[in-house]
Amino acid sequence: MTETLASPLVGVTSCLKARDEFHFHSVGEKYVDAVVAGAGAIPVLIPAIGGRLDPRQLIGRLDGLMVTGSPSNVDPSLYGGPPPREDNEADPARDATTLPLIRAALTDGVPLLCICRGLQELNVALGGTLHQHVHELPGRIDHRSDKTKSLKERYGLAHPVRLTTGGKLQAILDGVDRIEVNSLHGQGIDRLADRLTVEAMAEDGTIEAVSVRGARGFALGVQWHPEWQVLERPTSRQLFAAFGAAARARAMAREAARATMTV
């Protein structure tokens, strides 16, 4: 990728993980690769440092924000949910980082793409709630992946989702009514936040994609993982290309504003 003055900078959220006696701010390479190859942008990894980060100051320096997936779950206390089970994987430092960043991105009109846990964080950040165990709900399928299988199998296409007619996601995907997606999540949206609109739904009623009503720019969340081998699936390419175009437009606008100020 050739860097130009308008090359967009996309923030990529990290998780805080412990190993031995150390903690690491980490993000899967697939997310970094998707920003570079799919969005044509420069990824900027954001550490999970919670209140030590000024979200508005950081967002003001970015052209896009991608909120990544993670094995961890949003703390139920943040949406008034019941206490999690003992085997729940939590990341309070990430919660304290991502939720304010999401709100700041929407306030400033920074292009926003939320993936898997990111979709759930978007819903919680705007006042919605989550199901902690979707597969235990009557009529729902098991959306979790089989961790005994290879990565290729786990990230393979798992089930169809139907797109909302006339929706923002459908427009990005050339007007198709239905697509096949992978599925690697245990939690999902329960009560949809007031500002969100459903963009796609699985046949069992699980919300699979949302947009932010009244957003000043690109603002979408998906429950599946389009970042996985992003260039190999047309729908993933289209989604990241649209996100990259929005980030590039913001980068150009910021550059034009700086040029005007220096004249």
Side-chain angles (χ1 to χ4, degrees):
M1 179 179 63
T2 301
E3 183 177 352
T4 68
L5 290 177
S7 294
L9 300 177
V10 170
V12 180
T13 59
S14 301
C15 299
L16 186 62
K17 297 184 178 181
R19 181 167 32 168
D20 299 326
E21 297 181 22
F22 297 97
H23 287 79
F24 296 83
H25 299 272
S26 63
V27 61
E29 186 178 29
K30 60 194 173 89
Y31 294 105
V32 172
D33 288 345
V35 168
V36 175
I42 301 171
V44 178
L45 306 191
I46 303 173
I49 56 176
R52 292 180 290 167
L53 177 70
D54 183 335
R56 291 296 298 278
Q57 184 181 71
L58 175 59
I59 285 297
R61 299 179 180 182
L62 296 176
D63 303 305
L65 175 66
M66 183 176 70
V67 187
T68 61
S70 171
S72 67
N73 297 308
V74 179
D75 188 335
S77 68
L78 296 171
Y79 54 87
R85 296 175 183 172
E86 290 186 2
D87 61 352
N88 178 70
E89 186 172 345
D91 191 343
R94 172 174 167 134
D95 294 338
T97 305
T98 54
L99 270 61
L101 279 173
I102 288 169
R103 297 184 188 112
L106 291 172
T107 296
D108 286 5
V110 173
L112 175 66
L113 177 60
C114 300
I115 295 172
C116 198
R117 188 197 210 265
L119 169 94
Q120 297 160 18
E121 289 166 302
L122 172 61
N123 191 50
V124 171
L126 297 182
T129 64
L130 303 177
H131 289 300
Q132 295 184 46
H133 305 281
V134 172
H135 64 285
E136 296 179 359
L137 298 173
R140 300 293 182 95
I141 65 172
D142 192 343
H143 288 263
R144 300 172 299 175
S145 68
D146 184 347
K147 294 184 180 180
T148 66
K149 295 183 177 180
S150 68
L151 279 180
K152 183 177 181 180
E153 291 175 302
R154 290 173 60 195
Y155 281 88
L157 299 177
H159 65 78
V161 300
R162 185 164 296 279
L163 304 186
T164 299
T165 301
K168 291 182 171 58
L169 183 58
Q170 187 183 60
I172 290 171
L173 302 183
D174 294 334
V176 298
D177 295 322
R178 197 179 89 154
I179 61 173
E180 294 282 332
V181 301
N182 52 31
S183 188
L184 299 94
H185 64 101
Q187 301 203 346
I189 291 176
D190 179 9
R191 180 173 57 78
L192 189 68
D194 290 342
R195 289 184 62 189
L196 297 182
T197 297
V198 175
E199 293 286 340
M201 186 173 290
E203 293 178 340
D204 68 350
T206 299
I207 295 174
E208 291 281 344
V210 299
S211 62
V212 181
R213 191 162 46 252
R216 292 168 53 191
F218 185 105
L220 288 172
V222 297
Q223 186 60 79
W224 65 90
H225 285 268
E227 83 286 351
W228 174 255
Q229 298 179 338
V230 63
L231 298 182
E232 295 188 13
R233 292 176 182 163
T235 56
S236 296
R237 290 200 306 269
Q238 290 169 308
L239 178 58
F240 270 91
F243 177 54
R248 195 165 299 105
R250 176 175 168 80
M252 294 177 66
R254 290 204 303 131
E255 185 64 31
R258 282 196 295 267
T260 300
M261 292 175 63
T262 59
V263 171

